[in-house]
Amino acid sequence: MADSDIAHDRHGARSSDEAVHTGVPSPPPSVSLFLEAGLAAAVVALGYLLLRTSPVLAAGAFSDDGVYLALGKAIASGEGYHSIYTAGAPVHLKYPPGLPAFYALLWWMGRGLDTVHALALGASLLASAVAAGLLWWLARARFGLTRLSTGLFVLSPFFLEGLVQYLNLATSEAPFLLSWVIALVLFGRLHRAGTPRSRMGWALGLGLTVAAATLIRTQGVVLVPALLVALLIVRAGSRPVALFSLSALLPLVCWSLWHRLSVAAGPVSTQPDEEAYSDWLGAGGGSELLHTTLDVLRSQVTRYVVALPSHFAEPPVLGGAILAALVLLAVVGGARRLRSDPDVVLSGAALSVVIALWPFSQDRFVLILLPVFGLLAAAAVQRWAQPTVHRGRWGYGLAAVLILLVGVRQMEIRSMRFGERAEGELYFHPAQFLVDNTRYLVAASRWVAERAGTEDVLLAPLPAGIWLYTGVPGVNATPAEPDVGPSDFDVPGAFLAHRIAEDGVTLLLLWNPNFEINRDAALVQRTCPDALQFLEVTREPAGVAIFRINATDPCLSTEFLDPLTRVPR
């Protein structure tokens, strides 16, 4: 890039020092910026078409995608917001309805699972590409970043192997990112609107977009207070602030009331994986809640510090240093941009806090923040580099070297993703476990379709995926649990016994030896030999052990259910 491009932008975008909002309508961005944004979106779309694994993955390989697709089918078929993939088809309590409602439209349009799954994957790819294009436009038009800094810090995170996988699944990652970025664009339009009528229109759009983000992912609710404070900082006016608040909260209140009525009508499941997220809080008072919150915070920070560096570079110390540098630059950039762009700063900070306090740690929650963090980091680097060309060369040169290291790591991950677990450390990474889960779903679904009866109920990993392919309901044998507090597997054998007694499961499917359900099954089989009848182990593409459950064996209740908390002999 030319020296003049390092020192300042030559295409009409404001420099970072000139970006403080004035509340006065600004000239529209040049056509070239819109063309750049479109090109950035096209680059991401083409890259994802070439790099994504999702077209060869089974529906339900990530678990959440199977649940979203099944809920969409329940809505489309008129069965309501019910978990029709599980025993008893209870009212669904965990995920908000935004994405299932969209998938219901696909079920109405498509004729079968393969078509619906393909459309869902295409929608995720499109959402990711549009989000990238809008972020490019924000970086250039509002933040005044150069093409070089925008490409290095904002666009390149989209090509982390983890994000390539997560943003191309039938899950909430891509649509949530898109709705968040659209909210940032609308906030800027609201702040620059020249007439009261236009400000009210943008406020309505902003509120509805934030409501949509929350109905896509529960964590999105923190965008409401974050953007409300941002509107107050820029003095958007009392009427736009009131309209934003009303339009953001009213859809959420309506959904909450309707859902409460549905729950009251029932049925409601006792399955751990069908519980609401809020259940982990328990019924304790303020001091207990504070203690739990601090435990979660310590746990999550520790887990992310350990797990995330391997996404960026090896050894983990180098990966951690790169991640820490990005976070530090984002903090510096955020501090400098708080007055001029409070929507970006406060929404990113609010999502970071809720992720740190979310008791279910998953790397995707953090990875999805990186393009926006990159926006703030680029602002910090560019402001430091602008005074002299010499600084610019050193700053951008170092950034390019670090991104090159990260790029090498992504190629390493891609080269190992189809290998066995023993060959590397990729067990944590979607590039590996999604492929492994697909092998399991193919083997399990084939056996269930050929051998299971119409009255059977499965206890198995990824039951929503198996239901999508076979129509046989199941209970999740590997429920998602909070990272702190008691586990459903604390009393050996009790989880399996309870699912047999309460859900009427008739077939047990075991696959990954690392799952705790295997320990339960081994103990039950050893203690109550007549309770589990081994049938067979599937062959390719994965070995799944199948057991017939004898729920009438009195040994189950004697040894594992009476009393509930007693550890079996």
Side-chain angles (χ1 to χ4, degrees):
M1 176 168 274
D3 293 347
S4 56
D5 244 359
I6 294 176
H8 66 289
D9 190 275
R10 297 184 301 177
H11 292 271
R14 294 169 301 150
S15 72
S16 57
D17 289 333
E18 298 170 340
V20 176
H21 299 331
T22 63
V24 177
S26 57
S30 63
V31 174
S32 64
L33 290 184
F34 288 106
L35 293 177
E36 287 182 23
L39 180 59
V43 167
V44 170
L46 179 59
Y48 279 10
L49 282 172
L50 297 175
L51 299 175
R52 63 180 183 158
T53 309
S54 53
V56 300
L57 300 176
F62 187 65
S63 183
D64 289 12
D65 56 336
V67 174
Y68 285 128
L69 289 167
L71 289 172
K73 189 169 186 178
I75 296 172
S77 60
E79 299 186 56
Y81 205 61
H82 285 246
S83 301
I84 57 177
Y85 54 86
T86 197
V91 177
H92 189 78
L93 301 179
K94 182 176 288 188
Y95 300 134
L99 196 56
F102 173 71
Y103 289 162
L105 297 176
L106 301 185
W107 281 108
W108 286 326
M109 293 169 54
R111 296 185 177 181
L113 175 60
D114 290 342
T115 301
V116 171
H117 190 214
L119 290 172
L121 296 180
S124 290
L125 184 149
L126 179 62
S128 303
V130 173
L134 290 176
L135 278 172
W136 184 281
W137 184 86
L138 277 175
R140 299 277 286 136
R142 200 211 290 191
F143 276 62
L145 301 180
T146 64
R147 290 189 296 271
L148 177 60
S149 57
T150 304
L152 288 176
F153 290 95
V154 180
L155 198 63
S156 64
F158 280 93
F159 292 96
L160 287 171
E161 183 66 20
L163 276 183
V164 170
Q165 304 305 327
Y166 288 134
L167 289 177
N168 283 280
L169 295 174
T171 57
S172 62
E173 270 62 48
F176 177 73
L177 177 61
L178 176 59
S179 60
W180 178 22
V181 175
I182 289 176
L184 300 180
V185 172
L186 293 177
F187 184 97
R189 301 299 296 173
L190 166 60
H191 185 41
R192 292 174 176 79
T195 65
R197 183 175 180 177
S198 62
R199 283 197 295 272
M200 295 297 285
W202 291 118
L204 176 62
L206 177 61
L208 293 176
T209 301
V210 171
T214 305
L215 292 175
I216 291 170
R217 172 174 282 180
T218 304
Q219 295 171 350
V221 71
V222 299
L223 295 178
V224 179
L227 293 181
L228 177 60
V229 173
L231 287 172
L232 296 176
I233 289 176
V234 300
R235 299 179 181 179
S238 58
R239 294 183 65 189
V241 168
L243 182 57
F244 161 75
S245 302
L246 180 63
S247 57
L249 293 176
L250 185 59
L252 307 183
V253 172
C254 291
W255 159 249
S256 179
L257 291 175
W258 183 89
H259 193 238
R260 285 178 181 271
L261 292 175
S262 298
V263 171
V268 176
S269 176
T270 61
Q271 300 170 26
D273 225 36
E274 290 295 316
E275 295 176 348
Y277 279 126
S278 58
D279 288 350
W280 74 273
L281 292 173
S287 60
E288 182 178 341
L289 178 60
L290 177 60
H291 180 74
T292 300
T293 301
L294 292 176
D295 283 346
V296 170
L297 180 61
R298 285 192 293 267
S299 169
Q300 302 311 83
V301 171
T302 301
R303 288 172 180 269
Y304 286 128
V305 167
V306 171
L308 289 173
S310 292
H311 282 276
F312 296 90
E314 282 292 318
V317 172
L318 177 59
I322 294 174
L323 179 59
L326 175 62
V327 172
L328 179 61
L329 288 172
V331 170
V332 172
R336 295 186 180 278
R337 307 290 301 203
L338 180 59
R339 286 186 57 203
S340 61
D341 300 281
D343 55 324
V344 179
V345 178
L346 294 180
S347 63
L351 287 171
S352 300
V353 170
V354 78
I355 289 170
L357 297 176
W358 198 258
F360 304 87
S361 61
Q362 295 196 37
D363 55 358
R364 60 193 175 113
F365 295 155
V366 177
L367 294 178
I368 200 175
L369 303 179
L370 295 182
V372 177
F373 280 11
L375 188 65
L376 297 172
V381 170
Q382 182 164 301
R383 191 175 190 277
W384 176 85
Q386 273 182 338
T388 66
V389 172
H390 180 71
R391 274 191 181 186
R393 287 173 174 170
W394 273 101
Y396 290 123
L398 179 59
V401 169
L402 294 179
I403 290 175
L404 178 62
L405 291 174
V406 175
V408 170
R409 176 58 177 163
Q410 306 318 301
M411 290 187 287
E412 291 176 350
I413 291 174
R414 290 191 67 83
S415 68
M416 293 187 290
R417 67 179 178 172
F418 292 110
E420 298 297 328
R421 295 178 189 274
E423 292 183 8
E425 75 285 6
L426 281 183
Y427 64 90
F428 75 94
H429 202 282
Q432 171 108 31
F433 69 70
L434 287 171
V435 176
D436 289 343
N437 289 357
T438 291
R439 293 181 180 127
Y440 156 75
L441 276 177
V442 171
S445 297
R446 284 176 180 171
W447 190 95
V448 170
E450 295 173 0
R451 304 288 298 277
T454 57
E455 301 300 320
D456 278 322
V457 178
L458 311 176
L459 180 60
L462 306 178
I466 298 177
W467 178 85
L468 287 170
Y469 287 103
T470 68
V472 178
V475 176
N476 195 353
T478 57
E481 297 186 290
D483 298 319
V484 298
S487 167
D488 293 298
F489 294 93
D490 284 343
V491 179
F495 173 81
L496 175 55
H498 274 283
R499 302 285 57 87
I500 294 173
E502 297 174 27
D503 300 314
V505 294
T506 59
L507 288 171
L508 172 64
L509 277 62
L510 301 179
W511 166 55
N512 188 326
N514 296 318
F515 292 160
E516 291 186 276
I517 186 63
N518 294 63
R519 184 195 64 177
D520 269 23
L523 180 60
V524 168
Q525 192 173 39
R526 185 168 62 250
T527 307
C528 305
D530 295 330
L532 296 179
Q533 176 191 358
F534 173 72
L535 298 181
E536 63 177 299
V537 176
T538 63
R539 296 184 178 179
E540 296 297 334
V544 182
I546 316 292
F547 295 82
R548 173 67 63 178
I549 297 172
N550 177 18
T552 61
D553 185 355
C555 175
L556 286 171
S557 59
T558 301
E559 295 294 328
F560 297 99
L561 298 180
D562 296 322
L564 298 181
T565 57
R566 179 169 63 83
V567 178
R569 292 190 294 271

